[in-house]
Structure formats: C-alpha cells, structure tokens
Amino acid sequence: MEQTAGGGRRQSLLGDVVSVSGAFEGSEDIAAARELARSFLTDVQAVHGLPVSARAMGMVQLVVSELITNARKYAPGPCLLTLEINGGAIEVTVWDSNPTPPAILAPDPTRIGQHGLEIVMAVGQSFAVHREPVGKRITTAIVLADDPGGDAAGRQL
C-alpha cells in the first residue's frame, strides 16, 4: 500500500478491473483527492494503455472535487474515494458517514452555490446514491474517451 497526503492509497489490478482507493479527512485533502484521480488516470493511460481524453481527465477531477467537498461539508469523520475502470468508463465512488441522501436541487442559474451535484449529474453517464449500514455511497461514471467525431461521450442533456 502506498500513502498519499490524503490518507491510504490502494491500487489493484484484478483481471480487467483497475482501481484505486483513498481515505480523506480534512478539507485540505480535497486537492489530494483530485491529485489521486489525475495520477490514477495518467497511470491508466500510460501503464494499461486505455485512452483517457483531456475532457475525461478534467471532468473526473471536477467530480471528485465536488463529491469530496460535499462529504467534507455534510458528514463527520473521514470519507473514502474509490476510482474504478469499468467498461470504458471510470466509476467515481465516495462514501461518507452521513446516511441522509443529498438534496438534489433543480437547476437554477440564479442560485448562489449548491450546484455540485447538479454538475456531477450533468457530466456523468450515470448517478446513484446507495444507503450503507453506516452512511451512504454516491457513484457516478464518466466515459474515458471522446468519440471519433470529437463530441464528448456521456449523458446527453
């Protein structure tokens, strides 16, 4: 196991599954979580030969930042981030200790703040909230490569 500034880091390769996990506790760890995502995707491309578009790299870091920020803001204690490659997409999962599902607000361009989940849902291919015996787990998937025509792959709004 390697250590990061944000806590434990575990990377595994089981068959076709490539994943990494990290535990984060302080608000300063939001940057460490983004760095874990960037580093993981760089390795996915360089070591495992999977294409990762610049768009996907940026979107994954944004999603990680938004989900870790929400976990730090609304749940006590540490949160766990898992990044897993699955079928040409990266699944971003954040677990926190608060069992209350997040309030998903309707888009409102006049609202100041609270656009994090709105952003995550817009850029992700999927979005799910699962209650756990302790806390909850939020998962979204982002396609790794853009299509040959240059359009961003993912959920179309």
Side-chain angles (χ1 to χ4, degrees):
M1 177 189 289
E2 298 175 47
Q3 294 293 322
T4 66
R9 176 181 176 173
R10 183 184 83 245
Q11 187 165 353
S12 65
L13 174 59
L14 302 171
D16 291 339
V17 177
V18 179
S19 67
V20 67
S21 298
F24 302 93
E25 186 144 1
S27 59
E28 67 280 356
D29 286 344
I30 296 166
R34 282 192 308 268
E35 174 56 26
L36 177 63
R38 188 202 60 71
S39 174
F40 176 65
L41 287 175
T42 299
D43 287 351
V44 161
Q45 192 162 22
V47 175
H48 302 288
L50 296 173
V52 178
S53 70
R55 178 205 52 82
M57 180 72 77
M59 290 299 105
V60 169
Q61 290 179 82
L62 175 62
V63 164
V64 164
S65 183
E66 293 296 339
L67 292 178
I68 296 291
T69 297
N70 284 353
R72 298 304 331 122
K73 187 173 181 180
Y74 298 110
C79 61
L80 303 174
L81 168 67
T82 301
L83 304 169
E84 183 175 304
I85 303 302
N86 188 356
I90 181 169
E91 290 183 353
V92 178
T93 301
V94 173
W95 170 89
D96 68 48
S97 63
N98 185 346
T100 305
I104 300 171
L105 305 174
D108 179 358
T110 64
R111 182 177 63 241
I112 306 282
Q114 297 188 327
H115 292 281
L117 286 179
E118 188 179 329
I119 292 167
V120 170
M121 292 172 69
V123 302
Q125 188 178 31
S126 63
F127 178 84
V129 178
H130 302 278
R131 283 192 167 178
E132 297 289 328
V134 175
K136 69 180 168 298
R137 185 172 35 99
I138 297 176
T139 302
T140 189
I142 298 169
V143 175
L144 290 174
D146 297 336
D147 76 15
D151 295 326
R155 188 161 75 185
Q156 302 298 313
L157 297 177

